[in-house]
Amino acid sequence: MIWYRRYGPQFAWLLLDLTFFMVSAALACWLLQRQPDGAGLAVIAMMTVVRLWFFVQTGMYRAVLRYSGVHSLVLLCAGIALGSVFGTFAGFFAFLEDIGGLGRRFIVIEGLVAMALSGGSRFAIRYASESSLRSRGERVLVLGAGETGEQVVRSLRRSVRFRPVGMVDDDPQRRGAVIHGIRVLGRLDELEAVVKRQNPARLVVAQELPAEQLRALFQRCMDLDLRLTVVRGVGEALDGNDEVQLADIPLEDLLRRPRRNLDREPVARLLAGQVVAVTGAGGSIGSDLCRQVVQAGAASVVLIDSSEAALYQVDRAIRDLCQSVHVIPVLLDLTEAPRLRRCLERHRPAVVFHAAAYK
């Protein structure tokens, strides 16, 4: 069974190519009204053997048809041409009159028909495979029809997860252009109309955008219930094609202030071995503050929040993160000044972080 699954498709394609070459020879003879004699049939057989040998040696039967591209097409044309040239020279050196009754026109027509049958069948299977994948993937709209956009579309068309349905570009000369079967549908200011027509679930940014424009685009995508993704790099996949790396927009790119890098050494000296209090500890910012405080080496962390559920979750998260730290959850509303004062006097934190100050 393992042998069949590995070599069965290769043997099947070899038989198909053999059939294609026989059909192409028969069709060329019918078109030219030729009746090849025994020498002519021997030339056809030699051409077929040389082609099949070339395909086997170059790995044509081991290639994944889903990734058939220019490389496969070049090998296919080279193999068929090599067989035709070999048959021509064999007839010449064997002193066969008019290449065994076939003629030079037969060599040309038979080679073209063989390329059409053998190559067309491979690319038909690739097209059917891609169509099947595209019908199941997540619908994607690509922003940018330049070189990066072309690479994104080509990569997405081979993906099982994604299905490109259109492109958007502000260049008026690219409007209506078709790239790998995907049409440029309009400009960025027409995004709402394009989304309404195509109903994508994701927008991939394949061009450089200023920070302010990227933030504005993120807000538009939020209003349209559209996930925004950016291209972070283009690498080379194992099959020789470009593989696009996609990623969500980092939160720091959406901030209205410049990104600030934390100098961890003085922070560690400030917090190591200390009691630290965090207000609003159950929120997204507060919980991240708590994690960074623990990683900086604080001995005790006082978690202050008015939500019991949120306080429970951050308490469990901090205990799982570092079992040696002393965690003190306090259910408290900051508007209750007397209780807050008594809490701070009791635990005496060296540093107090207010999560609301970091929004």
Side-chain angles (χ1 to χ4, degrees):
M1 180 62 68
I2 297 177
W3 180 92
Y4 173 78
R5 294 176 64 179
R6 180 176 180 180
Y7 297 104
Q10 299 180 27
F11 186 69
W13 269 109
L14 190 147
L15 292 180
L16 279 175
D17 281 335
L18 177 60
T19 304
F20 292 149
F21 298 150
M22 293 174 62
V23 170
S24 62
L27 185 59
C29 288
W30 177 76
L31 290 174
L32 298 174
Q33 297 182 351
R34 299 291 173 85
Q35 294 292 334
D37 53 17
L41 294 176
V43 170
I44 294 175
M46 284 188 291
M47 292 166 52
T48 301
V49 170
V50 170
R51 291 168 179 175
L52 295 178
W53 171 84
F54 182 85
F55 287 173
V56 171
Q57 293 299 315
T58 57
M60 279 285 292
Y61 298 122
R62 297 192 300 271
V64 180
L65 292 181
R66 180 180 153 198
Y67 300 120
S68 297
V70 176
H71 178 71
S72 298
L73 180 61
V74 169
L75 289 180
L76 186 141
C77 294
I80 293 177
L82 179 65
S84 300
V85 170
F86 184 87
T88 302
F89 276 95
F92 175 77
F93 286 109
F95 301 101
L96 299 178
E97 183 178 356
D98 202 14
I99 315 178
L102 298 176
R104 283 174 288 183
R105 285 191 298 173
F106 170 87
I107 297 296
V108 176
I109 294 176
E110 188 275 339
L112 294 176
V113 174
M115 290 181 188
L117 292 177
S118 185
S121 61
R122 284 170 167 82
F123 283 94
I125 290 181
R126 173 183 172 175
Y127 179 80
S129 175
E130 289 185 349
S131 300
S132 175
L133 293 175
R134 290 197 299 270
S135 64
R136 299 193 300 267
E138 181 184 34
R139 297 174 68 86
V140 177
L141 194 66
V142 179
L143 172 58
E147 292 184 3
T148 303
E150 181 270 333
Q151 293 172 345
V152 169
V153 170
R154 182 170 54 182
S155 179
L156 294 180
R157 283 173 61 89
R158 299 195 306 268
S159 172
V160 180
R161 296 175 50 202
F162 304 111
R163 176 188 176 189
V165 295
M167 305 182 73
V168 177
D169 196 282
D170 285 335
D171 188 347
Q173 296 183 353
R174 292 174 177 170
R175 187 183 184 94
V178 178
I179 300 176
H180 297 299
I182 306 302
R183 184 179 297 274
V184 179
L185 302 174
R187 302 186 307 272
L188 183 57
D189 56 9
E190 300 172 322
L191 179 63
E192 287 75 8
V194 173
V195 170
K196 185 176 181 180
R197 292 198 306 268
Q198 298 297 328
N199 192 29
R202 180 191 297 259
L203 175 66
V204 175
V205 179
Q207 65 183 40
E208 292 292 335
L209 291 178
E212 294 183 0
Q213 190 174 357
L214 188 62
R215 287 195 294 267
L217 180 60
F218 178 78
Q219 185 59 51
R220 292 173 68 184
C221 290
M222 290 283 290
D223 297 337
L224 295 171
D225 193 22
L226 197 62
R227 182 174 178 179
L228 187 62
T229 306
V230 295
V231 177
R232 286 304 184 194
V234 179
E236 187 172 324
L238 294 178
D239 58 4
N241 295 311
D242 292 327
E243 184 178 22
V244 176
Q245 301 168 4
L246 304 179
D248 292 327
I249 298 179
L251 293 177
E252 55 266 23
D253 290 350
L254 301 176
L255 296 177
R256 298 183 181 276
R257 57 172 175 79
R259 178 177 178 179
R260 299 188 179 101
N261 295 320
L262 179 64
D263 191 351
R264 298 186 178 276
E265 185 175 347
V267 174
R269 290 199 301 267
L270 176 66
L271 302 180
Q274 301 292 333
V275 178
V276 180
V278 180
T279 66
S284 57
I285 297 178
S287 59
D288 191 64
L289 273 173
C290 294
R291 283 190 287 269
Q292 294 190 38
V293 165
V294 170
Q295 292 171 351
S300 300
V301 182
V302 182
L303 310 177
I304 302 175
D305 202 282
S306 59
S307 171
E308 185 175 359
L311 189 63
Y312 173 78
Q313 291 179 359
V314 69
D315 180 27
R316 292 292 302 272
I318 296 302
R319 294 179 188 275
D320 292 340
L321 179 63
C322 182
Q323 298 180 356
S324 61
V325 68
H326 184 209
V327 182
I328 307 171
V330 178
L331 185 63
L332 176 64
D333 195 317
L334 294 183
T335 60
E336 304 177 37
R339 289 190 58 198
L340 178 60
R341 188 181 303 111
R342 289 196 297 270
C343 174
L344 296 179
E345 290 176 352
R346 177 181 177 184
H347 299 291
R348 297 184 179 278
V351 182
V352 179
F353 289 104
H354 297 282
Y358 293 88
K359 292 184 178 180

